[in-house]
């Protein structure tokens, strides 16, 4: 399994991880650490965000404290455990997204030997959706998105802790961890259905390929899934244009790229450029990219190293 600062490949050629290979452990102590200066920064950054947008609100999120990996051979899949705590969108804005928050990363390394100790690190999900005619579905984020407006992205979002509590009426301390795992896998299906308007029966069960760590937001983690859709590109485009509910404000355009075209781009000059950039983290913040950096990095490694 290949690991870099920004990507963790968990699949092997031709196969990825289903729910049977993944376990979840939730603990209160897996939340972020805090300091008075960080609390002040969170309040200041959140108030700034509220003053410039009327379309954002705070909400609870799962926090990825650590991913434990049982290493497998080159021909075998690993088993993984997600160690999860709680965080919220407000904390994300005030830590991972705050100007100068690199100092919190350094402080975490100094205090806990963990550069992410003070970071919110909400767990995201993303879907690499492949159509029946072998194209990959992307969306263009709208200008209303609080993060990365107008950039090309894959469908995705976050698993929602509040939804789990509402369904079960239980606290995370007493809840069967498999219920949280169900929410993680269900959330990517829900996001694709809402953002692209693909009906659930037309999507395969999600398969986990790996984890991307967004370099722009100080390594915010996202589980990246592979899904097959039994509809062709034209059928999906028609469904996208008929959206009447869901995340209408999240995207403005459906973008389709063939698997062959993506492989060609990444194998040639642009691919070599991004491979170089991936290894030079200091240049990440200076890039003006059409494609959101964590997704491009993930796709680059995925297509170079695996064949689904």
């Amino acid at each position: 399994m290949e690991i870099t600062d920004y990507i963790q490949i968990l699949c092997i050629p031709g196969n990825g991880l289903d729910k049977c290979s993944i376990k979840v452990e939730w603990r209160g102590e897996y939340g972020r650490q805090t300091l008075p200066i960080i609390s002040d920064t969170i309040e200041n950054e959140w108030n700034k965000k509220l003053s410039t947008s009327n379309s954002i609100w705070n909400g609870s999120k799962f926090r990825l404290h650590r991913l434990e990996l049982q290493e497998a051979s080159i021909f075998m899949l690993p088993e993984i455990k997600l160690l999860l705590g709680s965080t919220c969108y407000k904390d994300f804005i005030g830590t991972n997204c705050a100007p100068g928050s690199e100092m919190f990363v350094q402080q975490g390394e100094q205090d806990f030997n963990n550069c992410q100790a003070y970071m919110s690190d909400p767990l995201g999900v993303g879907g690499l959706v492949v159509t029946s005619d072998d194209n990959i579905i992307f969306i263009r984020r709208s200008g209303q998105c609080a993060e990365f407006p107008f950039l090309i992205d894959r469908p995705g979002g976050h698993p929602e802790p509040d939804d789990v509590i509402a369904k079960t009426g239980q606290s995370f301390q007493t809840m069967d961890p498999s219920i949280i795992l169900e929410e993680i896998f269900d959330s990517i299906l829900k996001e694709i259905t809402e953002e692209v308007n693909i009906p659930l029966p037309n999507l395969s069960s999600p398969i986990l390929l790996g984890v991307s760590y967004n370099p722009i937001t100080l390594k915010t983690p996202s589980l990246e899934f592979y899904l097959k859709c039994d509809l062709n590109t034209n059928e999906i485009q028609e469904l996208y244009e008929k959206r009447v509910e869901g995340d209408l404000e999240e995207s403005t355009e459906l973008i389709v790229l063939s698997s062959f075209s993506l492989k060609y781009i990444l194998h040639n000059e642009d691919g070599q450029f991004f491979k170089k950039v991936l290894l030079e983290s200091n240049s990440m913040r200076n890039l003006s990219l059409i494609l959101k950096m964590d997704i491009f990095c993930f796709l680059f490694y995925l297509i170079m190293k695996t064949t689904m």
Side-chain angles (χ1 to χ4, degrees):
M1 303 300 108
E2 182 159 357
I3 302 174
T4 75
D5 282 347
Y6 304 115
I7 200 72
Q8 188 168 12
I9 297 292
L10 301 173
C11 57
I12 60 175
N15 210 346
L17 299 176
D18 59 17
K19 282 183 282 191
C20 296
S21 302
I22 305 169
K23 292 182 172 59
V24 166
E25 178 180 291
W26 186 96
R27 291 188 183 181
E29 56 262 38
Y30 291 158
R32 68 175 183 84
Q33 302 295 324
T34 190
L35 289 171
I37 187 175
I38 296 178
S39 298
D40 291 342
T41 299
I42 290 172
E43 289 298 325
N44 291 336
E45 292 302 317
W46 184 246
N47 288 332
K48 288 179 187 177
K49 183 67 73 172
L50 290 177
S51 68
T52 59
S53 174
N54 57 7
S55 61
I56 67 167
W57 60 91
N58 195 16
S60 64
K61 304 296 176 189
F62 291 111
R63 178 182 188 268
L64 181 61
H65 172 67
R66 189 169 71 248
L67 185 150
E68 290 186 347
L69 176 66
Q70 178 183 329
E71 193 62 64
S73 73
I74 191 172
F75 301 112
M76 294 180 61
L77 291 166
E79 291 185 356
I80 67 170
K81 179 186 283 188
L82 303 173
L83 306 186
L84 301 179
S86 294
T87 187
C88 64
Y89 185 63
K90 177 180 176 180
D91 285 3
F92 169 65
I93 294 297
T95 56
N96 295 77
C97 298
S101 53
E102 290 86 354
M103 64 180 289
F104 303 152
V105 172
Q106 297 169 2
Q107 193 69 42
E109 185 67 34
Q110 177 180 319
D111 294 346
F112 298 98
N113 196 30
N114 176 5
C115 61
Q116 300 302 116
Y118 292 114
M119 296 292 103
S120 172
D121 287 350
L123 180 66
V125 293
L128 186 70
V129 181
V130 180
T131 67
S132 64
D133 47 348
D134 202 30
N135 290 323
I136 300 173
I137 298 298
F138 296 94
I139 57 173
R140 185 179 298 280
R141 296 167 67 87
S142 77
Q144 298 182 49
C145 292
E147 304 125 49
F148 307 108
F150 308 114
L151 298 194
I152 297 173
D153 198 359
R154 83 291 188 239
H158 300 84
E160 301 293 348
D162 289 343
D163 288 353
V164 180
I165 293 174
K167 290 175 186 176
T168 64
Q170 300 176 355
S171 68
F172 291 123
Q173 288 88 343
T174 60
M175 187 182 299
D176 184 336
S178 66
I179 298 175
I180 300 175
L181 183 61
E182 285 288 338
E183 166 61 19
I184 292 172
F185 273 72
D186 287 348
S187 66
I188 185 55
L189 291 167
K190 179 181 178 182
E191 295 289 352
I192 294 168
T193 298
E194 290 185 348
E195 293 183 9
V196 187
N197 201 28
I198 298 175
L200 281 175
N202 297 110
L203 293 169
S204 68
S205 297
I207 296 295
L208 181 62
L209 299 176
V211 189
S212 64
Y213 298 91
N214 192 330
I216 306 300
T217 54
L218 299 178
K219 300 178 71 172
T220 306
S222 180
L223 302 179
E224 304 295 344
F225 293 90
Y226 171 88
L227 302 94
K228 283 287 289 183
C229 179
D230 62 11
L231 301 174
N232 63 40
T233 303
N234 289 336
E235 291 170 324
I236 294 173
Q237 182 69 55
E238 290 177 4
L239 287 168
Y240 180 80
E241 293 172 357
K242 292 177 181 177
R243 292 172 302 154
V244 294
E245 57 184 60
D247 292 356
L248 286 172
E249 74 284 357
E250 291 290 331
S251 68
T252 59
E253 181 184 4
L254 191 72
I255 296 172
V256 177
L257 190 61
S258 72
S259 300
F260 175 81
S261 296
L262 188 57
K263 290 178 182 179
Y264 178 82
I265 291 170
L266 296 177
H267 270 295
N268 285 276
E269 292 182 4
D270 288 342
Q272 292 301 315
F273 169 72
F274 282 108
K275 183 176 182 181
K276 181 174 183 290
V277 167
L278 187 63
L279 301 175
E280 297 177 1
S281 58
N282 289 336
S283 64
M284 285 292 185
R285 286 186 177 273
N286 298 323
L287 291 174
S288 176
L289 299 179
I290 296 175
L291 190 63
K292 211 171 82 175
M293 275 304 303
D294 61 329
I295 306 309
F296 197 104
C297 293
F298 183 79
L299 290 175
F300 180 84
Y301 268 81
L302 173 66
I303 290 174
M304 295 300 105
K305 300 296 182 183
T306 68
T307 303
M308 294 299 294

